[in-house]
């Protein structure tokens, strides 16, 4: 394939990925509910204004939540074709929270990032209800641009690495420090280096 064809394919792929990003307000509100719930705080809000105040407070007290909001703003800006500003949001997320979420990553509404020091990169998809602990990397194997898909309600432990085009099943758990390079069935627990999975917990 010539350079122009590769460029067109890449542009088409990025346009498709960006079209799948959730709306900014919808995503931030869902993230607010999930984050407040996991932190043991009030998560049933009386109105959108009430939820917005909670989101602002969480962004002030939680580096990870601030990074999520900045990622949501970056994704929304890129979807609309806004220049420069999305890159600023991305840099701020890296500087303030040490959270790096690449452009091809799709994070669905209602994901909880516990703290900073998180890297998500490549064609990666994170579904609702996923919990991501600190020092986690979800990314690529050399030679591939496709990374993991993490299904609904999965929990990723501190320092875990999920590498390559794998599927981490709904409700599964990845233990702290695990290096996962193969699929994890729904409801299973994966531990070790390289990770092996046990039966459903």
């Amino acid at each position: 394939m010539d350079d122009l064809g590769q460029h067109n394919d890449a542009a088409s792929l990025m346009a498709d990925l960006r079209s799948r990003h959730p709306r900014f307000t919808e995503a931030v509100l869902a993230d607010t509910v999930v984050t407040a719930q996991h932190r043991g705080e009030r998560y049933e809000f009386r109105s959108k204004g009430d939820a917005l105040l909670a989101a602002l407070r969480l962004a002030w007290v939680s580096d990870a939540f601030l990074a999520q909001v900045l990622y949501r703003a970056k994704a929304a800006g890129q979807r609309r074709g806004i220049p420069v500003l999305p890159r600023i949001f991305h840099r701020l997320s890296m500087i303030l929270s040490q959270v790096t979420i690449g452009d091809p990553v799709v994070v669905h509404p209602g994901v909880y990032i516990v703290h900073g020091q998180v890297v998500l990169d490549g064609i990666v998809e994170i579904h609702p209800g996923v919990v991501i602990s600190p020092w986690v990397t979800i990314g690529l194997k050399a030679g591939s641009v496709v990374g993991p898909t993490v299904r609904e309600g999965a929990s990723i432990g501190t320092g875990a690495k999920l590498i390559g085009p794998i599927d981490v099943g709904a409700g599964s758990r990845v233990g702290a420090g695990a290096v996962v390079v193969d699929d994890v069935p729904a409801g299973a627990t994966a531990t070790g280096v390289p990770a092996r999975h046990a039966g459903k917990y």
Side-chain angles (χ1 to χ4, degrees), residues 136-171:
V136 163
T137 298
I138 301 176
L140 305 176
K141 185 181 290 185
S144 174
V145 297
V146 179
T149 296
V150 184
R151 303 287 177 183
E152 291 84 353
S155 178
I156 314 302
T158 300
K161 314 297 182 200
L162 281 60
I163 306 299
I166 60 174
D167 192 279
V168 178

Side-chain angles (χ1 to χ4, degrees), residues 96-158:
L96 298 174
S97 310
Q98 296 180 35
V99 171
T100 301
I101 303 178
D103 293 349
V105 178
V106 176
V107 180
H108 292 277
V111 169
Y112 177 45
I113 301 177
V114 180
H115 287 296
Q117 296 84 41
V118 168
V119 175
L120 311 178
D121 196 28
I123 300 175
V124 166
E125 188 163 7
I126 310 294
H127 286 267
V130 169
V131 176
I132 301 173
S133 298
W135 304 106
V136 163
T137 298
I138 301 176
L140 305 176
K141 185 181 290 185
S144 174
V145 297
V146 179
T149 296
V150 184
R151 303 287 177 183
E152 291 84 353
S155 178
I156 314 302
T158 300

Side-chain angles (χ1 to χ4, degrees), residues 44-77:
E44 294 179 346
F45 303 114
R46 295 181 294 274
S47 65
K48 281 190 177 180
D50 186 28
L52 175 61
L53 288 175
L56 290 172
R57 191 190 65 76
L58 285 170
W60 180 255
V61 301
S62 167
D63 61 339
F65 188 80
L66 174 61
Q68 274 184 276
V69 173
L70 289 168
Y71 158 74
R72 299 297 187 192
K74 178 190 85 163

